Amino acid sequence: MRQKLFAIFMITLLFLCAVESQATTIRISTDQTELILQTAPDGRLYQSYFGDCLKNEAEIANIKSHGWEVYMGSGYEDYFEPALGIIHNDGNRCTVLHYVSHEQKNVTEGTETTIHLRDDVYPINVTLHYLAYAKENVIKTWSDISHREKKAITLFRYASTMLYFSDSKYFLTEFSGDWAKEAKMSSQQLQFGKKILDTKLGSRAAMHVSPFFELGLNAPVQENQGDVLLGTLGWTGNFRFTFEVDNVGNLRVIPAINPFASDYSLEPGTTFTTPEFIFTLSHHGSGEASRMMHSWARRYQVKKGNGSRMTLLNNWENTYFDFNEEILGHCMNEAKDLGVDLFLLDDGWFGNKYPRNNDHAGLGDWEAMKSKLPNGVSGLVAKAKDAGVKFGIWIEPEMVNPKSELFEKHPDWAIRLPNRQTYYYRNQLVLDMSNPKVQDYVFGIVDRLMTENKGLAFFKWDCNSPITNIYSPYLKEKQGNLYINHVRGVYNVFKRVKAKYPDLPLMMCSGGGARCDYEALKYFTEFWASDDTDPVERLYIQWGFLQVFPAKVLCAHVTNWNHVASVKFRTDVASMCKLGFDIGLKEMSKNELEYCREAVANYKRLEPTILDGDLYRLVSPYDCNHMSVMYVDANKLKAVLFCYDLHPRFNETLYPVKLYGLDADKKYKVKEINLMPGEKSNLSDQNKVLSGDYLMKVGLDGFTTRDMNSRVIELTAE
Ligand code: DGJ
């Protein structure tokens, strides 16, 4: 008997070893990081490693499995948050995915990996996609869910991916806030249980929290050292990041569309594609992580990411709704006088039966208002041409005011409840973008403006209201699909606009910076970061957004908010991102105007360094009463340093600003620019030639104890 038992034991062992040796290993690698996935004897796929690239392939088999299933289904053996949740046709809520096959190929970016999984009981297929950008050290991942059950299945979880960590401590940096308080940074240690960052706004990703995060492994996130995961979801709607620390201290990170009120009905033979989760892992702090994300974004993701950007003058903060053709003509001349490329006409130019003279009426009726603009939009394009600037226009095409001809004609195009009093956010409703007819109408707005007004060079595309009164007349009994199909409908329109107008620059806006995600940026060249243009507040907002987005996409305008701050300070703050103005020039003195002209000229000259260079965040406004950032171009021949004093204390001790990213062996001429007319720089090293070594070790006296003071310093290799 004992012999028989031993024989059975040996056979089982041999069988297990055989299966073990057949384990499939999938390495998803950039030049620096790799994610290793392996099958186990149960035929399922597990994450076995995520970190620095491993040198010896043979040792991979030695890594112990933690039982971290790559795309965990709900209802089987795991007690924590799953990636996938399905109600099958028979009401069963359990899904277990088994590895089927995978392909990996080299592409220009790096490698593309596709992994096929299948449930062994139900006809459910999941395909996992990973695109690894070798040089930029960024990985982008998303998943496709499809099935062949008889009737529609209901998805109640549909994560983009899942990542696991096993570190001593985890520190999460989130970017929360509100309207006019975007991307404020705060950190906390994650302990047992869940921390969820999510939004339920429908038409945009953000308002109270942004769709990105930083995760410090073992220690809080630091600028230039430590392990940091920087992650973001490309989804212009409800998102949810789940960070769950389990009973043994492991962390799982689950980026996903927020399943809130979104049990999704998926028909047989159709595919549910999740948004892309984009991440980078750095061992040298958030500074390096940002630089990697920025260069990836410019190179691969953002519309015209490698192209230049137009400086502009906007009229919103200057005139609000109160303008006519003559006033706009003055603004265009002012734009020319300032030296910017484009004049941008904001809200208030349309509606006749219900004129858009305030935010109560007119949204939906995209005809030029005859009383204000007798010669229509084409008259304005021509006027701008005469003034010598380009012309751009504001639209908010996904929205409708109940006081509009559009609403009178198509009340069923608006998302609103049939059986309750309607709640209005900014007196408007969101159009139902899940309805293909509405998509056609929205595309038609842009298309008609472009076709009828040759020379129209730019759009500011706003989206002021979150979705309220959640009910789609179009989707009827499939209301669980509304939040998701709405966003997909928005993308259908964005795609059509990009296909027909591939070179058209567009600014994305959402009542400030609430649309701030990398999926929408495939279709937009830039976004409006915040309605808060107080320069001190802006420094924090820009510091926050710059963690994830390159300066090139962050629109920063000089306005009259906080007019106690000098025009120079306001302009220098806007000059560290994509510079624009939203101010009447008559409000400036002769000196201020002269200063602005020179600042615009300097900006244009230095644009390749500021907008395409590497960003180094030197001094954080969260740490002291000052802030400093610098940009260095790729060949380290030119750098621009921005130093800001916020509200320094009396007699405060000032520390030199140590520079980063220069070539230690090169010599750089130090020159403060953007000085007020007639003013001489009092920078102690003005016009000196100093080595990169010195500048990075000793630094420059960039700060002062003056309230809201700024310095812009150009460094040129000799
Ligand atoms: C909100 C935007 O953030 C502002 O810049 C401006 O365009 C207004 N909408 C116009 O209504």
Side-chain angles (χ1 to χ4, degrees):
M1 182 62 189
R2 277 177 74 184
Q3 264 175 346
K4 207 171 164 191
L5 272 177
F6 182 67
I8 292 171
F9 172 69
M10 285 309 287
I11 289 166
T12 314
L13 199 65
L14 282 173
F15 172 72
L16 283 177
C17 290
V19 176
E20 192 94 69
S21 66
Q22 282 163 15
T24 302
T25 299
I26 306 168
R27 300 179 74 173
I28 295 156
S29 322
T30 69
D31 286 353
Q32 296 177 40
T33 305
E34 73 179 336
L35 178 64
I36 302 180
L37 315 178
Q38 280 182 311
T39 55
D42 61 10
R44 288 150 61 189
L45 188 66
Y46 295 85
Q47 175 186 316
S48 51
Y49 177 80
F50 179 39
D52 267 4
C53 291
L54 295 180
K55 292 209 174 86
N56 304 317
E57 180 142 19
E59 288 173 354
I60 291 175
N62 200 44
I63 301 173
K64 281 167 210 62
S65 171
H66 304 267
W68 292 341
E69 193 161 2
V70 171
Y71 203 71
M72 174 94 67
S74 76
Y76 195 45
E77 69 208 353
D78 183 71
Y79 305 118
F80 297 91
E81 186 68 21
L84 179 68
I86 295 175
I87 306 177
H88 301 284
N89 283 185
D90 60 2
N92 189 309
R93 286 172 172 255
C94 176
T95 300
V96 183
L97 297 172
H98 290 248
Y99 169 83
V100 178
S101 64
H102 78 278
E103 303 104 45
Q104 196 164 55
K105 61 177 186 215
N106 292 330
V107 289
T108 40
E109 300 90 331
T111 56
E112 191 179 322
T113 309
T114 312
I115 305 170
H116 304 280
L117 309 173
R118 192 169 52 213
D119 191 292
D120 55 343
V121 174
Y122 294 92
I124 303 286
N125 292 298
V126 171
T127 306
L128 310 177
H129 300 268
Y130 297 86
L131 192 50
Y133 297 80
K135 195 166 151 275
E136 290 76 17
N137 190 28
V138 164
I139 298 176
K140 174 157 128 170
T141 174
W142 69 99
S143 306
D144 291 329
I145 306 160
S146 62
H147 73 100
R148 290 269 167 209
E149 296 200 19
K150 286 214 168 58
K151 290 187 294 176
I153 56 169
T154 302
L155 302 176
F156 61 93
R157 287 288 184 280
Y158 25 76
S160 293
T161 194
M162 259 172 116
L163 286 176
Y164 299 84
F165 299 86
S166 184
D167 291 285
S168 62
K169 292 186 190 91
Y170 313 100
F171 293 86
L172 175 70
T173 299
E174 64 184 50
F175 298 79
S176 47
D178 204 335
W179 174 80
K181 284 188 192 156
E182 288 86 345
K184 293 282 163 73
M185 295 170 69
S186 61
S187 298
Q188 60 189 270
Q189 186 173 353
L190 299 174
Q191 306 284 3
F192 174 83
K194 275 187 202 163
K195 161 80 184 174
I196 287 177
L197 298 176
D198 72 347
T199 61
K200 306 179 181 76
L201 302 155
S203 63
R204 73 265 286 268
M207 182 141 82
H208 307 121
V209 63
S210 306
F212 38 85
F213 64 86
E214 289 170 346
L215 183 69
L217 304 172
N218 299 308
V221 173
Q222 295 177 73
E223 188 66 31
N224 294 311
Q225 53 187 310
D227 295 347
V228 175
L229 178 85
L230 171 60
T232 179
L233 192 76
W235 184 245
T236 318
N238 302 345
F239 71 89
R240 181 160 97 161
F241 294 130
T242 305
F243 303 87
E244 187 171 30
V245 179
D246 67 14
N247 52 323
V248 289
N250 291 332
L251 168 72
R252 61 180 70 176
V253 177
I254 310 176
I257 295 178
N258 192 351
F260 165 78
S262 297
D263 279 358
Y264 194 90
S265 168
L266 186 71
E267 293 296 332
T270 60
T271 302
F272 181 102
T273 300
T274 71
E276 295 168 351
F277 176 61
I278 302 142
F279 62 97
T280 180
L281 182 68
S282 164
H283 303 300
H284 303 104
S286 55
E288 185 187 72
S290 300
R291 283 187 290 282
M292 293 189 285
M293 191 70 92
H294 294 172
S295 54
W296 163 82
R298 284 190 299 255
R299 194 146 176 222
Y300 296 111
Q301 191 81 356
V302 172
K303 183 173 186 188
K304 292 171 77 65
N306 286 321
S308 65
R309 295 293 184 266
M310 285 190 278
T311 50
L312 59 82
L313 176 69
N314 192 0
N315 70 311
W316 176 245
E317 296 282 338
N318 178 12
T319 66
Y320 293 105
F321 294 97
D322 191 12
F323 58 80
N324 58 28
E325 208 173 88
E326 198 191 334
I327 293 172
L328 297 182
H330 285 305
C331 295
M332 291 169 189
N333 292 334
E334 289 187 339
K336 179 66 185 171
D337 192 13
L338 203 50
V340 296
D341 304 302
L342 175 123
F343 170 71
L344 170 62
L345 170 60
D346 215 284
D347 196 355
W349 60 268
F350 49 89
N352 283 298
K353 182 171 176 191
Y354 299 103
R356 178 79 172 168
N357 286 321
N358 52 49
D359 61 17
H360 286 257
L363 274 182
D365 302 344
W366 300 99
E367 300 286 346
M369 195 192 299
K370 291 199 181 80
S371 54
K372 277 182 181 169
L373 307 171
N375 295 301
V377 176
S378 57
L380 295 174
V381 177
K383 230 182 178 49
K385 195 169 176 211
D386 291 346
V389 287
K390 294 195 164 136
F391 181 74
I393 202 160
W394 178 97
I395 51 172
E396 193 182 5
E398 302 150 59
M399 304 283 158
V400 64
N401 281 126
K403 270 194 189 165
S404 68
E405 292 185 69
L406 179 73
F407 191 74
E408 283 176 350
K409 220 161 132 194
H410 297 291
D412 56 324
W413 281 10
I415 295 178
R416 79 187 164 125
L417 294 158
N419 52 357
R420 281 181 205 277
Q421 200 181 354
T422 306
Y423 166 79
Y424 296 100
Y425 185 103
R426 212 197 189 208
N427 316 303
Q428 64 196 59
L429 293 171
V430 180
L431 290 177
D432 183 358
M433 298 296 288
S434 70
N435 182 343
K437 280 198 185 130
V438 178
Q439 295 170 26
D440 287 345
Y441 155 82
V442 173
F443 170 72
I445 296 166
V446 181
D447 197 31
R448 196 158 53 79
L449 279 165
M450 286 298 285
T451 333
E452 288 176 2
N453 306 289
K454 296 279 174 239
L456 189 53
F458 187 85
F459 279 88
K460 177 178 177 184
W461 184 313
D462 211 339
C463 164
N464 281 294
S465 177
I467 299 182
T468 53
N469 315 286
I470 323 293
Y471 183 85
S472 157
Y474 174 76
L475 287 171
K476 300 196 172 65
E477 75 287 353
K478 288 201 177 154
Q479 295 299 318
N481 291 18
L482 172 55
Y483 277 127
I484 294 170
N485 285 5
H486 177 83
V487 178
R488 289 183 179 154
V490 171
Y491 290 148
N492 285 345
V493 176
F494 288 174
K495 277 181 199 150
R496 285 170 74 181
V497 172
K498 188 173 174 184
K500 186 147 181 202
Y501 304 104
D503 295 323
L504 178 68
L506 299 106
M507 179 200 296
M508 168 163 69
C509 175
S510 185
R515 275 188 168 170
C516 52
D517 69 88
Y518 269 125
E519 184 62 26
L521 278 168
K522 285 180 179 166
Y523 311 102
F524 288 82
T525 47
E526 55 220 68
F527 72 89
W528 181 230
S530 177
D531 280 344
D532 188 343
T533 48
D534 176 308
V536 173
E537 293 306 317
R538 262 293 175 140
L539 286 177
Y540 288 91
I541 292 167
Q542 291 169 189
W543 184 271
F545 278 126
L546 281 170
Q547 306 287 319
V548 185
F549 301 104
K552 179 171 251 179
V553 307
L554 292 178
C555 300
H557 296 176
V558 179
T559 73
N560 251 341
W561 281 47
N562 190 349
H563 52 269
V564 177
S566 67
V567 166
K568 171 178 160 52
F569 184 72
R570 286 181 258 159
T571 309
D572 289 351
V573 169
S575 296
M576 63 174 269
C577 291
K578 204 225 118 186
L579 175 65
F581 291 79
D582 197 348
I583 192 168
L585 299 197
K586 55 184 174 307
E587 294 165 49
M588 291 189 198
S589 70
K590 208 166 141 263
N591 261 2
E592 286 170 338
L593 183 54
E594 203 179 320
Y595 161 82
C596 285
R597 285 191 201 113
E598 196 184 316
V600 170
N602 280 336
Y603 184 82
K604 288 186 167 182
R605 186 171 55 77
L606 297 169
E607 186 196 310
T609 308
I610 299 172
L611 297 191
D612 289 313
D614 278 330
L615 166 74
Y616 293 88
R617 290 182 295 259
L618 306 177
V619 177
S620 167
Y622 286 93
D623 293 340
C624 63
N625 299 319
H626 310 271
M627 166 169 158
S628 178
V629 298
M630 71 183 286
Y631 297 95
V632 185
D633 67 6
N635 48 23
K636 298 186 186 292
L637 292 174
K638 179 74 84 184
V640 185
L641 170 69
F642 294 90
C643 299
Y644 306 101
D645 306 306
L646 280 61
H647 301 298
R649 307 283 297 271
F650 171 73
N651 218 3
E652 181 183 303
T653 306
L654 297 173
Y655 300 97
V657 180
K658 291 184 186 169
L659 277 49
Y660 263 78
L662 298 173
D663 182 337
D665 298 327
K666 282 193 170 68
K667 298 258 188 186
Y668 295 88
K669 171 102 184 251
V670 176
K671 189 176 176 212
E672 182 178 359
I673 57 168
N674 281 15
L675 293 161
M676 287 300 284
E679 197 181 311
K680 285 213 163 52
S681 169
N682 55 9
L683 186 74
S684 50
D685 291 317
Q686 174 75 339
N687 288 328
K688 285 192 187 154
V689 176
L690 298 166
S691 69
D693 181 60
Y694 177 94
L695 290 163
M696 292 191 287
K697 288 177 182 162
V698 181
L700 290 173
D701 294 326
F703 295 135
T704 73
T705 48
R706 275 179 278 152
D707 205 41
M708 293 186 281
N709 190 61
S710 54
R711 276 183 171 142
V712 181
I713 299 162
E714 182 177 348
L715 297 129
T716 313
E718 299 237 297

